[in-house]
Amino acid sequence: MRVRVAPYVEFAKKAFAREATYRMEVLTEIGSLVLRVYILRSLWTALYAQNAAPINLPLHGMITYATVAMLMSLILEVDGTRLIREKVREGTIATDLMKPISVPLYFFSDGIGQTLLHAVLVVPSLFCALLLVRIDVPSPATIAAFALSFVIGYGVNFFLNFLMNSIAFWTLETFAAQLIVRWASDLLSGQIIPLTLFPGIFGRIVFGLPFAAIYSTPLLIYVGVIPSSQWALSIALQAVWLVAFAAIASVVWRAASNRVIVQGG
Amino acid sequence: MAKRRVLPIIECTKLRKIFRTPKRMPGPLGALRSLVSRAYEERAAVDAVSFRLEPGELVGYIGPNGAGKSTTIKMLTGILVPTSGEVRVAGIVPWRQRKENGRNIGVVFGQRSQLYWDLPLIESFELLRAIYGIGRDQYRRNLDEFIEILQLGDFLRTPVRQLSLGQRMRGDFAAALLHGPRVVYLDEPTIGLDVVAKESIREFIARINSERGTTVILTTHDLADVERLCRRIILIDRGTLIYDGDIERIKTEYGQFRTLIVRFSEHVARPALEGAELVNTEDSSARFRFNRNLQRADLLVRQASERYSVEDVSLEEPDLESIIRRIYVEGYQSSSAENGA
């Protein structure tokens, strides 16, 4: 069956417009980002003054890492599928199921719309951040590899959120599960601390976890810790996680919609 | 009723839905136990319900809370799979072809809106245009018509969250009908509305039904909606169908008793009429109850004016509400044959 694109483009547009209505929130977001960049710069500078630079990442590299991670979080912290949780709890998912649309595609395009609005915010945020810190700009090839890796990481993050929010189909409440995953991912994704700083065997394990595909891989490509010879391998590993998560998400969605259909929401 | 020649647009045959719910054990220990081991109990929300609707009918689907109304509607919209039995809407099995069915139906829930909460009303309509792939001309035509009848003009650009309940309901009606569905399900569409808003919604429903020939299933607790709009009602209680037919018929069968109110020009101590029973007297008027099958109203009026000095008379027909209340309590016993479906 042919999929009509028009509704999904429209969903994305509406989500974009909806996010933009909360102007105050948007401004606060940029403000808090600038503050966080400043704090991290001070923190890393102080830490580096105490120790010799760990693992071939000098201070300016570390500050670049932290700042780019902050900018990435503008996009990655958008929970594009929180609509699932809200709609399941309020029961409005029933009206969506009564429409001639693919409901998971609806959630996906709505998430894309929200993300795009926040992606637009990256530009002014970057300028604000540059007032406080200097960041390294790598070669165009590295930036391209970073961009590709970031897009895949976005996908992994999206499906992870999708799965978390789908828990609502069974429990209605997803707070506890989300808290745990959020906590694990903050620590293990490389958003705050580069995974190369983890010691010994633990340091090896974290690279094998899916969280590393979200922040760590693109960031380590950006700052040059992952050399160009290993780009292909690192990105391939991310892609494996993406495919695996997408597959799990589709199985979960089928079970979830069956549950709605059999139990009646 | 005329012989049925037209293909039914909605057809339910022995529709049944059984829900399996975990049994709750009493007390705090019971709550703990039900975390570990669960006993289930089965309950038929809808039990062997059969009915059919012809295109263009406007039917009231009535029952007390928990009777199985919503469950039936959910099966008709395709979001719930029946445990057994068959259901077809416009030739389609809804749950098998949910999306195709979605094109044929429109739904209004009085309790929840399908409009985009944060966006102006008009943007929800534009979104629906994309969802259903409504052609520009049809969209324009329908939208203009609805803006006029439902008087949406003043708040088209207002975010939905700022609308009053009445405005929101009108918006929801337009949203449900923009794509010109053949069947519309209305679930408590007038709940919480004031009398004026109620009347304008009822007028709109009647108009859509008569001008467009849209088939309407109306679920409501407000029997004034039903009396105003429907010729036929389907009564359901505890999952089973208890009556399907004309409102007038149920009224004649159950509402044999009419009330005659006589106002006298002077005080009458104990007024009496032959063939009628005195219910009460108040000031200078009296209420008499009589069986319409045994007694003609005009004869009673003549009798009253011969006996007393009468200033005014009026007649009260039995109202649907009291009839249906009685059926819920006593069950439906038809004197005539079963309604042939």
Side-chain angles (χ1 to χ4, degrees):
Chain A
M1 207 177 69
R2 211 169 59 90
V3 176
R4 291 179 313 119
V5 182
Y8 306 103
V9 173
E10 205 60 29
F11 286 136
K13 279 198 208 157
K14 293 289 177 266
F16 189 93
R18 191 185 61 216
E19 287 295 296
T21 54
Y22 297 101
R23 223 171 310 163
M24 201 54 217
E25 205 172 300
V26 164
L27 290 176
T28 325
E29 195 171 314
I30 297 180
S32 101
L33 181 114
V34 171
L35 187 66
R36 281 185 289 167
V37 164
Y38 179 74
I39 291 173
L40 279 178
R41 187 195 70 168
S42 314
L43 182 73
W44 285 116
T45 310
L47 284 173
Y48 269 63
Q50 298 295 314
N51 293 296
I55 42 89
N56 61 26
L57 196 58
L59 180 58
H60 66 89
M62 189 60 238
I63 288 175
T64 300
Y65 184 103
T67 309
V68 175
M70 278 295 162
L71 293 171
M72 283 168 72
S73 75
L74 276 181
I75 292 175
L76 293 173
E77 280 184 2
V78 178
D79 182 1
T81 47
R82 66 161 197 275
L83 218 52
I84 298 179
R85 172 175 91 229
E86 286 163 11
K87 289 197 165 232
V88 169
R89 202 177 323 160
E90 289 159 16
T92 45
I93 196 159
T95 35
D96 295 317
L97 286 165
M98 289 173 194
K99 299 212 161 67
I101 49 166
S102 150
V103 177
L105 269 185
Y106 158 50
F107 289 127
F108 189 75
S109 41
D110 190 277
I112 295 276
Q114 292 179 47
T115 307
L116 284 178
L117 189 261
H118 291 266
V120 169
L121 296 183
V122 169
V123 180
S125 307
L126 178 64
F127 281 115
C128 294
L130 286 180
L131 295 176
L132 293 170
V133 294
R134 222 197 105 255
I135 64 170
D136 302 340
V137 180
S139 71
T142 310
I143 290 189
F146 161 77
L148 174 63
S149 174
F150 174 67
V151 169
I152 299 176
Y154 172 83
V156 174
N157 185 55
F158 182 89
F159 284 116
L160 184 64
N161 280 328
F162 184 95
L163 288 170
M164 285 302 107
N165 285 310
S166 297
I167 294 175
F169 282 102
W170 285 270
T171 64
L172 290 186
E173 195 48 73
T174 63
F175 183 70
Q178 272 183 318
L179 200 66
I180 293 167
V181 171
R182 167 58 70 98
W183 182 80
S185 115
D186 276 353
L187 200 64
L188 304 176
S189 69
Q191 180 188 355
I192 299 167
I193 306 162
L195 299 186
T196 44
L197 293 184
F198 282 78
I201 181 98
F202 194 49
R204 293 216 198 120
I205 292 171
V206 289
F207 279 102
L209 296 177
F211 300 112
I214 301 171
Y215 280 95
S216 182
T217 311
L219 281 167
L220 293 181
I221 289 177
Y222 190 98
V223 296
V225 170
I226 297 178
S228 56
S229 58
Q230 283 175 32
W231 287 352
L233 188 68
S234 309
I235 292 175
L237 182 62
Q238 274 187 298
V240 168
W241 282 119
L242 178 61
V243 171
F245 272 55
I248 298 172
S250 93
V251 170
V252 167
W253 175 259
R254 201 156 308 157
S257 55
N258 258 335
R259 194 181 155 82
V260 170
I261 278 180
V262 176
Q263 288 292 324
Chain B
M1 207 178 284
K3 207 149 181 65
R4 290 166 199 266
R5 286 259 165 211
V6 202
L7 275 176
I9 188 151
I10 293 178
E11 197 170 13
C12 297
T13 318
K14 296 197 172 137
L15 201 56
R16 170 178 279 128
K17 179 71 201 179
I18 291 172
F19 285 120
R20 209 163 146 256
T21 46
K23 212 169 171 173
R24 293 225 170 271
M25 292 171 221
L29 271 179
L32 268 181
R33 265 186 69 194
S34 58
L35 272 179
V36 193
S37 80
R38 281 198 166 170
Y40 289 88
E41 55 189 353
E42 291 191 336
R43 189 178 59 84
V46 169
D47 201 354
V49 166
S50 304
F51 61 83
R52 32 204 271 171
L53 262 63
E54 282 166 27
E57 274 197 273
L58 199 170
V59 174
Y61 195 58
I62 312 298
N65 290 329
K69 301 185 300 279
S70 309
T71 307
T72 315
I73 301 291
K74 280 178 182 166
M75 288 192 277
L76 290 172
T77 54
I79 62 164
L80 197 60
V81 183
T83 309
S84 66
E86 271 179 52
V87 52
R88 268 174 195 282
V89 177
I92 286 176
V93 178
W95 58 273
R96 281 224 178 90
Q97 289 171 277
R98 181 180 65 75
K99 287 190 223 168
E100 288 73 7
N101 186 57
R103 304 193 156 280
N104 294 329
I105 62 168
V107 188
V108 175
F109 293 108
Q111 309 264 33
R112 53 172 95 120
S113 179
Q114 57 166 322
L115 303 168
Y116 255 62
W117 203 241
D118 295 318
L119 297 179
L121 185 58
I122 185 76
E123 299 208 20
S124 286
F125 295 155
E126 276 160 16
L127 185 67
L128 289 165
R129 190 177 81 76
I131 289 177
Y132 292 100
I134 310 170
R136 281 239 165 254
D137 291 345
Q138 192 201 349
Y139 176 71
R140 212 45 268 172
R141 207 168 345 107
N142 282 348
L143 188 60
D144 286 346
E145 189 186 334
F146 295 153
I147 288 175
E148 195 210 311
I149 313 179
L150 293 167
Q151 294 164 20
L152 307 175
D154 295 340
F155 49 89
L156 267 182
R157 311 221 158 262
T158 312
V160 172
R161 69 183 129 82
Q162 292 171 16
L163 298 182
S164 74
L165 181 63
Q167 291 172 329
R168 204 214 77 200
M169 266 332 287
R170 284 184 273 158
D172 259 306
F173 263 90
L177 290 158
L178 265 183
H179 60 292
R182 298 170 65 188
V183 182
V184 179
Y185 306 108
L186 308 175
D187 191 359
E188 303 266 0
T190 58
I191 196 161
L193 298 180
D194 65 49
V195 265
V196 181
K198 264 186 189 176
E199 191 43 39
S200 79
I201 289 290
R202 286 174 191 152
E203 224 164 85
F204 182 71
I205 298 170
R207 192 159 164 183
I208 288 296
N209 173 253
S210 66
E211 286 178 10
R212 299 183 169 223
T214 310
T215 309
V216 180
I217 292 193
L218 172 66
T219 308
T220 180
H221 285 296
D222 188 341
L223 290 168
D225 289 347
V226 178
E227 286 207 87
R228 161 85 165 74
L229 291 168
C230 310
R231 264 191 54 205
R232 175 181 168 194
I233 53 172
I234 297 175
L235 273 179
I236 173 171
D237 190 18
R238 273 157 287 181
T240 42
L241 191 145
I242 50 178
Y243 178 80
D244 176 1
D246 276 8
I247 292 187
E248 285 311 314
R249 201 181 103 206
I250 212 171
K251 276 190 179 170
T252 22
E253 280 180 10
Y254 269 80
Q256 303 104 322
F257 291 100
R258 304 163 100 181
T259 306
L260 179 71
I261 303 159
V262 184
R263 204 165 83 225
F264 308 106
S265 46
E266 59 201 8
H267 181 77
V268 180
R270 284 203 63 81
L273 294 175
E274 255 163 63
E277 180 192 340
L278 179 68
V279 183
N280 61 18
T281 56
E282 199 178 298
D283 296 337
S284 56
S285 59
R287 299 169 72 89
F288 296 94
R289 205 168 79 119
F290 66 99
N291 187 325
R292 72 192 306 162
N293 302 327
L294 304 174
Q295 190 65 50
R296 276 168 52 186
D298 60 322
L299 296 180
L300 277 178
V301 172
R302 193 193 297 167
Q303 200 192 131
S305 53
E306 279 167 8
R307 287 191 184 182
Y308 309 105
S309 151
V310 173
E311 207 170 80
D312 192 18
V313 289
S314 59
L315 202 56
E316 254 178 26
E317 293 295 331
D319 73 322
L320 191 57
E321 182 132 6
S322 57
I323 294 172
I324 285 177
R325 205 182 311 128
R326 230 177 98 198
I327 295 178
Y328 288 158
V329 176
E330 297 168 11
Y332 178 73
Q333 288 113 14
S334 174
S335 47
S336 55
E338 279 279 300
N339 181 48

